[in-house]
Amino acid sequence: MIQPLVYKFGGASIKDAKAIKNIAALLKKRWTNGLVMVISAAGDTTDRLENLIDLALQQKSFDKELIQLLDFHEDICRGLFQPGHGIFARVDNQFAQLRRTLENLAIKEDSDFFYDQVIGYGELISTRIVQEYLCESGLACLWQDARELVRTDSQTKMAKVDWALTMQYCRRALFPKLEKYPVVTQGFIGTDLLGNTTTLGREGSDFTAAIMGVSLGASAVTIWKDVAGILNGDPDIFPDAVKFEYLDFEEAAEMTYYGAKVIHPKTIKPLAKHGIPLYVKSFVNPDAPGTVIGSFGQAPRIPITIFKSQLTLIELRILDLSMIGSFHFEMIYEVAKKLNWRIQLVQASAAHISILINDIPVTAEQLAKPFREIFRVKSKAGLKMITVKNPTDAERTHYRKVAENLLLEQDSPELIQWVYEEYSPEA
Ligand code: ASP
Ligand code: MG
């Protein structure tokens, strides 16, 4: 019986011919039956497809942008294959289909459904190129349409996985193939019961890797990235960030909740539930150990700093003299649920509640409306938050100093959060 293993490669790892050659070299040293490679769209293809979708929906010409995207992919192919290779025709063919979908569906369908039918082309095309190149390099492998494996409901842009069906389809389709060859498949896409393409949300390929890992009972899932592993802060914002060798599932899940962008938030829970370790490794330096996320019990209490932006603070002050009670919380959570708010933080005192949510595209007026009868409402959008887990006195002093217009502070021995109008690390 083979032991499945899942590797996920993101857009940056296959952004040009050189990057794909690097992936092939990395794989050559690790090639084994049982390997499932989950692959994203090349480079910034998904952003470019979003742009094409916008243009098509506005009935504007998208010719130039579509040709540029084709050029980008042909360029990759030219760097990998001899002229006249069959891959050029296959990529052309995919682009012809993409063009037809853009032309025909944009007028007829609702825009989010249309989005789902178009956006997955990035993955469908990139996986063809990578699979073909691996085969040419002596790494024989199969191409698998992920839509035959990942079954979802019909919610557009953020479909929910039907785990029972997906597990069944993954096992049935993949086990016989993996006995003979490794498999290349797409991240991010699935199908609903009607056979329409669905998507798992932007950056959803990490989640696909977890879905495959859990479905197949993989020994591990590895996400190959352009960073050394998981750091205790975003190195662009916190230059002194250090890498974790080990990280507990719980700690990693919390980090993604507070805004760390290393892994897609939905990835960790299913892996933790099934005890499948998640490796985050560098495709630039593949022999380095990276970070392993697993169940280690007592994790080291290293300070972890997470930066998050695009937040809105809503401040509610009770109008009459009744004090805050469970009724008020119920009301707030009901509104939050109905309007799909993502609550980041709640703070309450006798007559006052502050709620921090992700920015949403509504005016302050609209935001205030559901609360007006009971509260005086103030809100402010575009805010930033710093979260420090396991803070020491050094972080406490530092982040209070760099605060510009500190709007809210939450401080407990395990966690500190500051909400700022501006955050300037140089201050
Ligand atoms: N290509 C998709 C995106 O960029 C999915 C992914 O890369 O995870 O959002
Ligand atoms: Mg991506």
Side-chain angles (χ1 to χ4, degrees):
M1 188 75 178
I2 40 120
Q3 177 63 73
L5 183 69
V6 180
Y7 282 178
K8 183 254 166 171
F9 295 102
S13 70
I14 54 161
K15 68 178 196 309
D16 51 30
K18 192 169 153 229
I20 295 176
K21 286 181 181 169
N22 173 55
I23 292 307
L26 170 169
L27 285 166
K28 201 160 234 161
K29 283 174 83 176
R30 295 165 176 81
W31 202 243
T32 165
N33 281 8
L35 182 61
V36 177
M37 292 157 275
V38 173
I39 296 179
S40 302
D44 62 354
T45 298
T46 309
D47 292 335
R48 293 163 82 163
L49 285 168
E50 281 189 351
N51 183 33
L52 283 168
I53 290 167
D54 284 344
L55 291 170
L57 285 170
Q58 295 165 36
Q59 308 289 313
K60 289 191 184 150
S61 160
F62 49 76
D63 231 49
K64 191 176 100 218
E65 287 77 4
L66 186 65
I67 290 169
Q68 281 168 350
L69 192 58
L70 172 62
D71 278 349
F72 167 73
H73 284 88
E74 281 185 336
D75 220 40
I76 293 180
C77 292
R78 275 192 288 273
L80 298 174
F81 304 97
Q82 294 300 319
H85 189 285
I87 191 71
F88 290 97
R90 277 197 285 280
V91 169
D92 239 17
N93 210 11
Q94 290 281 322
F95 270 88
Q97 267 185 38
L98 169 59
R99 177 184 286 278
R100 269 200 306 281
T101 312
L102 283 166
E103 279 167 355
N104 298 335
L105 273 184
I107 348 161
K108 289 193 222 118
E109 305 291 348
D110 99 71
S111 59
D112 287 350
F113 176 82
F114 172 65
Y115 177 97
D116 279 350
Q117 306 319 302
V118 173
I119 201 78
Y121 271 95
E123 273 75 9
L124 290 168
I125 296 166
S126 71
T127 48
R128 290 269 180 217
I129 297 173
V130 172
Q131 183 243 355
E132 190 72 43
Y133 182 68
L134 292 177
C135 288
E136 295 258 309
S137 317
L139 304 172
C141 55
L142 303 175
W143 185 87
Q144 167 73 50
D145 191 326
R147 295 170 297 183
E148 291 170 12
L149 310 177
V150 180
R151 312 309 291 229
T152 69
D153 67 3
S154 301
Q155 194 183 323
T156 45
K157 284 185 147 178
M158 189 65 82
K160 249 195 136 158
V161 174
D162 180 331
W163 279 94
L165 264 190
T166 299
M167 281 180 151
Q168 187 189 331
Y169 281 73
C170 276
R171 291 170 162 269
R172 201 163 59 197
L174 291 179
F175 274 126
K177 290 182 178 165
L178 292 171
E179 290 286 347
K180 292 191 184 153
Y181 299 105
V183 168
V184 168
T185 193
Q186 308 79 43
F188 184 44
I189 54 175
T191 0
D192 67 6
L193 286 172
L194 301 170
N196 292 317
T197 302
T198 54
T199 55
L200 304 175
R202 282 303 307 267
E203 307 301 331
S205 296
D206 291 356
F207 184 37
T208 304
I211 294 169
M212 304 273 167
V214 166
S215 298
L216 298 172
S219 54
V221 171
T222 303
I223 297 182
W224 294 93
K225 292 189 70 89
D226 54 2
V227 289
I230 299 194
L231 309 185
N232 72 338
D234 178 343
D236 289 340
I237 307 170
F238 312 108
D240 303 333
V242 292
K243 182 182 74 81
F244 287 102
E245 243 147 79
Y246 302 93
L247 197 60
D248 250 333
F249 281 127
E250 234 172 78
E251 199 112 46
E254 265 184 63
M255 284 174 76
T256 64
Y257 177 85
Y258 293 129
K261 291 206 189 70
V262 234
I263 334 166
H264 187 270
K266 284 189 190 158
T267 311
I268 295 161
K269 198 171 140 195
L271 293 174
K273 190 170 155 205
H274 292 84
I276 299 171
L278 174 64
Y279 290 82
V280 179
K281 283 172 65 99
S282 156
F283 59 75
V284 185
N285 191 5
D287 293 328
T291 297
V292 52
I293 305 170
S295 306
F296 302 108
Q298 252 332 47
R301 290 178 49 86
I302 300 170
I304 303 172
T305 312
I306 303 145
F307 181 77
K308 189 161 188 165
S309 59
Q310 295 179 310
L311 297 164
T312 295
L313 185 64
I314 307 167
E315 304 213 64
L316 307 172
R317 176 165 289 278
I318 283 208
L319 287 174
D320 61 21
L321 284 180
S322 62
M323 296 291 115
I324 300 283
S326 57
F327 160 79
H328 299 106
F329 283 106
E330 264 164 40
M331 176 195 178
I332 290 165
Y333 279 100
E334 229 159 74
V335 172
K337 195 170 161 204
K338 204 165 113 212
L339 301 180
N340 244 332
W341 290 355
R342 297 210 33 213
I343 297 187
Q344 297 294 329
L345 194 159
V346 176
Q347 202 178 61
S349 56
H352 180 260
I353 302 182
S354 305
I355 314 158
L356 186 73
I357 63 171
N358 288 6
D359 275 348
I360 42 175
V362 297
T363 61
E365 271 301 291
Q366 289 166 316
L367 246 175
K369 208 168 151 221
F371 302 109
R372 276 251 176 68
E373 279 177 21
I374 303 177
F375 298 103
R376 197 177 73 226
V377 190
K378 276 200 305 191
S379 70
K380 193 161 228 159
L383 303 177
K384 317 204 164 44
M385 174 169 70
I386 304 262
T387 301
V388 185
K389 271 214 77 187
N390 310 325
T392 65
D393 285 345
E395 281 84 28
R396 280 203 166 79
T397 327
H398 176 70
Y399 290 111
R400 230 170 251 141
K401 207 169 65 201
V402 299
E404 261 175 58
N405 294 334
L406 182 63
L407 295 172
L408 194 122
E409 176 174 10
Q410 195 137 284
D411 190 340
S412 70
E414 280 194 4
L415 191 78
I416 307 188
Q417 299 190 288
W418 293 273
V419 180
Y420 302 109
E421 222 157 303
E422 272 314 318
Y423 168 69
S424 41
E426 270 77 51

